[in-house]
Amino acid sequence: MGAPGAGKGTQAGALADRYGVPAISTGDIFRHNIKNETPLGLKVKAIIEAGDYVPDETTEEIVADRLREPDCAPGFLLDGFPRTMHQVRFLDRYLAEQGAALDAVVSLHVDPEALVERLLDRAQKEGRADDNEETIRRRMEVYAGQTAPLLSYYEDEGLLVEVDGTGSVDEVRQRMFDQLDERRP
């Protein structure tokens, strides 16, 4: 978890590789569908470009479909999900039905102004239409209002691992690995 641009996608692959599980990014799934102009892509394109979240039910359906794939049987890493309490409750129910549970929730923290600069730089390099300053700031507001409160829930559940997301990719990755290693029995 973390605000847009905090490094979730960058760190997700390394974390998934370390534990031998697939990294599942809802953002990547949405962008793939938008690029290929699938019915889902057409449905969510305007929502994402406005800086809003895709409706919970749509996102939950996509995540459940992906988690049913065979490569997720030994475990998985979710990147960009859950983002609302509705999605948290959905995930809790889904995992309980599967006889599974979360091991940890990693949250990357970065100064909001540094994130705006990071995202504007990424938009320029990658040509991402959803990363203009107005949309970025709107996404930050949406994150603060809808997603940040989930951190308290996961902290109460004893699952939250907070990581300083400032510094080089390698520095952040090592801090994340060290903190997760401390949790292992």
Side-chain angles (χ1 to χ4, degrees), residues 3-184:
K8 296 179 302 292
T10 300
Q11 298 299 343
L15 193 56
D17 288 346
R18 186 170 202 210
Y19 293 105
V21 298
I24 300 166
S25 165
T26 53
D28 287 349
I29 293 169
F30 290 145
R31 281 186 287 278
H32 171 78
N33 281 276
I34 289 168
K35 180 181 177 183
N36 292 307
E37 298 182 344
T38 67
L40 172 66
L42 297 173
K43 182 177 179 181
V44 301
K45 182 178 180 180
I47 296 167
I48 290 174
E49 286 180 352
D52 292 323
Y53 284 163
V54 175
D56 288 332
E57 294 77 8
T58 302
T59 305
E60 292 163 2
E61 181 181 337
I62 287 167
V63 169
D65 284 347
R66 179 64 182 92
L67 294 180
R68 287 186 197 102
E69 293 183 22
D71 66 331
C72 291
F76 51 85
L77 181 141
L78 294 171
D79 170 9
F81 184 89
R83 288 190 173 180
T84 66
M85 279 308 296
H86 190 280
Q87 292 175 6
V88 166
R89 287 188 291 275
F90 166 82
L91 183 59
D92 286 348
R93 280 191 312 272
Y94 179 86
L95 292 174
E97 289 169 5
Q98 307 304 312
L102 294 177
D103 294 319
V105 174
V106 176
S107 175
L108 300 174
H109 291 280
V110 180
D111 174 72
E113 287 307 311
L115 291 176
V116 171
E117 289 178 30
R118 232 187 238 187
L119 289 170
L120 289 172
D121 184 57
R122 180 176 79 181
Q124 189 174 38
K125 289 178 181 172
E126 298 178 12
R128 290 174 62 160
D130 59 331
D131 282 348
N132 62 65
E133 187 166 353
E134 181 181 336
T135 302
I136 289 167
R137 292 195 184 279
R138 170 71 180 131
R139 288 168 55 204
M140 297 290 186
E141 290 172 12
V142 171
Y143 174 80
Q146 293 184 16
T147 305
L150 307 185
L151 300 177
S152 295
Y153 172 82
Y154 285 123
E155 184 172 32
D156 291 346
E157 295 292 311
L159 295 170
L160 188 63
V161 177
E162 295 185 281
V163 177
D164 178 0
T166 306
S168 73
V169 170
D170 290 338
E171 290 169 337
V172 173
R173 180 172 297 143
Q174 192 58 54
R175 279 195 293 269
M176 181 177 63
F177 287 167
D178 290 347
Q179 287 181 249
L180 287 168
D181 287 347
E182 288 175 14
R183 292 178 55 90
R184 297 187 100 179

